[in-house]
Amino acid sequence: MQFTINRNLFLENLNNVMRAISSRTTIPILSGIKLDLSETELVLTGSDTNISIEIKIPVNDDLKVKSTGSIVLPARFFSEIVKKLPGKDFSFEVKESFQTKITSENTEFMINGLDANNYPRLPEIPNDSAFTLSGKTFRDIINETVFAVANQESRPTLNGVNFNFSKDQIKAVATDSHRLAQRTIKLENGPETNATLVIPGNSLVEFSRIIGESDPEITVTPGENQVLFTIGNLAFYSRLLEGSYPDTDRLIPTESTTEVEFDLSTLARALDRVSLLTHESRNNVVKLNLDTENQTVKMTGDSAEIGNVEEELPFKKLTGESLLIAFNPDYLRDALRASFTDSVVMNFTQPLRPFTVIPGKDDVEYTQLITPVRTF
């Protein structure tokens, strides 16, 4: 196996494949990256069993093939070597016993490889149920939900976002049982048959980074226990979480007794100030006092070791019954960071019942739910 390739082109693709490689894998060969060279393309593969990424680089002026073959190289060392090579191009040659020579200008590395025949095969997913969607749309829906996934072994399905893809919309829900984020976005060309997939939060975070700030077309191919996302020459496989996702629709209140609307940035800054002290407290609780009779809203926090803070908040609208409620400020902070409208509306029912945070726009379907804290 021997080829010469443009270093920047190779490194750009290698960095994306490296996202799938974990230093904590229990299968030694998966700490390596697989290179498979044919007459027409070089295929890079990385996997940690949960995520697998495959990238195909076509043979052209930037990639010249002398002989075909395959090899698995230690990913971390190989990546660092390529980053530090001095030249514009580098040469790659596999010799006897999987010894691999990497040469650029007057620098030469020789590293030990492994037999690519021992590398696990990627899953084969039929593409008869594949559909496409906007990269920006999918990245947005990930960012608006994934922060609310759980990280617990007792209920593994909550470690993912529950996606329901239909012909005219995507509905995504994440919850860790203390908070919930649900986003619905219209689609123009969704799948003909509904697809429900629980995708691990870690997989979605990595895929969102690959999408980046651009808006590529993504092809989604659902399988039985894997889902394949394809962007151009990149294929991203993620395992799916097994088990039924809880019925979260019944958790979201349909009515409220108290409603308040805030400017998002004003509320976020006030929350940051108040939680300066609560983060030093063992309980980390903020109280929100909504006085509809006197039309005042106050946020308070305290730490037994440091002191207390109280701030009166400006608001756009306050209606309903007066209410005092306590909650974890980090949950509201995450909810505000994920919000994308200039204002948010908070709806309450009772002091110990979950409350919702929704956009201050009627045409956006985005609901976040936060469970309050009992302080007595």
Side-chain angles (χ1 to χ4, degrees):
M1 176 182 181
Q2 189 174 1
F3 65 88
T4 301
I5 192 168
N6 176 277
R7 189 176 69 90
N8 286 339
L9 169 68
F10 186 84
L11 195 56
E12 178 185 346
N13 289 286
L14 177 65
N15 287 340
N16 275 330
V17 173
M18 288 290 292
R19 296 180 186 279
I21 295 171
S22 169
S23 59
R24 299 186 299 273
T25 180
T26 56
I27 305 173
I29 200 168
L30 291 185
S31 64
I33 186 164
K34 179 184 174 187
L35 293 86
D36 193 352
L37 181 65
S38 69
E39 295 288 351
T40 58
E41 63 187 12
L42 172 64
V43 182
L44 308 180
T45 307
S47 177
D48 68 355
T49 69
N50 293 321
I51 297 173
S52 301
I53 298 175
E54 179 184 83
I55 294 182
K56 297 178 179 179
I57 305 173
V59 171
N60 54 28
D61 291 341
D62 290 321
L63 170 59
K64 296 183 173 65
V65 178
K66 290 187 179 178
S67 61
T68 61
S70 57
I71 189 80
V72 176
L73 295 177
R76 185 167 63 88
F77 287 110
F78 180 47
S79 172
E80 288 300 316
I81 288 169
V82 175
K83 285 177 186 175
K84 291 177 169 56
L85 289 175
K88 176 186 173 186
D89 302 317
F90 72 90
S91 297
F92 183 103
E93 183 181 1
V94 178
K95 296 181 171 292
E96 290 182 6
S97 303
F98 307 112
Q99 288 262 308
T100 302
K101 184 170 78 170
I102 301 165
T103 312
S104 180
E105 293 185 349
N106 58 352
T107 302
E108 179 181 301
F109 284 91
M110 189 73 78
I111 58 175
N112 299 321
L114 297 169
D115 187 350
N117 289 322
N118 296 326
Y119 197 88
R121 284 181 169 274
L122 293 182
E124 295 183 9
I125 304 176
N127 63 3
D128 51 357
S129 57
F131 60 96
T132 61
L133 53 84
S134 149
K136 181 182 184 304
T137 296
F138 197 55
R139 184 188 69 235
D140 288 347
I141 205 167
I142 291 172
N143 295 341
E144 289 154 15
T145 54
V146 75
F147 66 90
V149 301
N151 184 20
Q152 52 184 270
E153 295 182 6
S154 57
R155 299 182 68 187
T157 53
L158 297 188
N159 297 343
V161 178
N162 184 42
F163 285 90
N164 184 267
F165 296 96
S166 63
K167 188 167 180 57
D168 58 357
Q169 70 174 29
I170 311 173
K171 180 181 176 182
V173 184
T175 182
D176 62 3
S177 75
H178 299 292
R179 57 179 166 177
L180 176 149
Q182 176 178 288
R183 180 73 164 110
T184 303
I185 296 180
K186 300 297 181 187
L187 276 184
E188 291 185 0
N189 298 299
E192 293 296 330
T193 305
N194 286 13
T196 299
L197 313 172
V198 184
I199 305 173
N202 293 338
S203 300
L204 293 168
V205 168
E206 288 301 334
F207 188 57
S208 175
R209 289 171 180 160
I210 288 172
I211 297 171
E213 295 302 314
S214 59
D215 186 18
E217 182 178 82
I218 298 173
T219 300
V220 184
T221 309
E224 284 190 18
N225 52 21
Q226 295 263 343
V227 60
L228 167 61
F229 299 107
T230 309
I231 301 176
N233 68 334
L234 182 147
F236 183 103
Y237 297 80
S238 171
R239 73 179 179 96
L240 299 175
L241 296 176
E242 298 179 357
S244 57
Y245 202 83
D247 178 12
T248 54
D249 286 339
R250 61 183 179 80
L251 302 175
I252 300 173
T254 55
E255 297 178 349
S256 66
T257 55
T258 309
E259 180 180 301
V260 60
E261 182 175 359
F262 293 105
D263 175 80
L264 187 145
S265 59
T266 300
L267 177 59
R269 287 194 295 268
L271 186 67
D272 282 345
R273 287 189 289 270
V274 173
S275 59
L276 277 173
L277 296 191
T278 67
H279 282 150
E280 298 300 319
S281 169
R282 188 173 57 188
N283 296 325
N284 190 25
V285 170
V286 160
K287 293 179 181 177
L288 192 65
N289 190 343
L290 306 166
D291 186 341
T292 55
E293 184 176 341
N294 295 307
Q295 286 290 291
T296 60
V297 176
K298 291 182 181 179
M299 188 181 288
T300 59
D302 62 73
S303 164
E305 297 81 11
I306 297 179
N308 58 71
V309 57
E310 177 179 289
E311 180 165 343
E312 186 166 333
L313 303 181
F315 54 86
K316 293 189 170 187
K317 182 177 64 175
L318 174 62
T319 59
E321 301 173 6
S322 295
L323 182 84
L324 175 63
I325 195 164
F327 54 88
N328 183 325
D330 295 340
Y331 292 163
L332 181 57
R333 181 202 62 205
D334 290 345
L336 297 180
R337 284 180 178 172
S339 299
F340 47 86
T341 52
D342 294 335
S343 64
V344 291
V345 177
M346 299 173 68
N347 287 299
F348 305 87
T349 53
Q350 297 175 25
L352 294 178
R353 297 288 296 168
F355 61 91
T356 60
V357 181
I358 62 175
K361 289 178 67 176
D362 293 336
D363 59 345
V364 179
E365 294 184 66
Y366 186 33
T367 302
Q368 303 192 68
L369 190 71
I370 298 173
T371 302
V373 176
R374 185 187 293 270
T375 58
F376 53 85

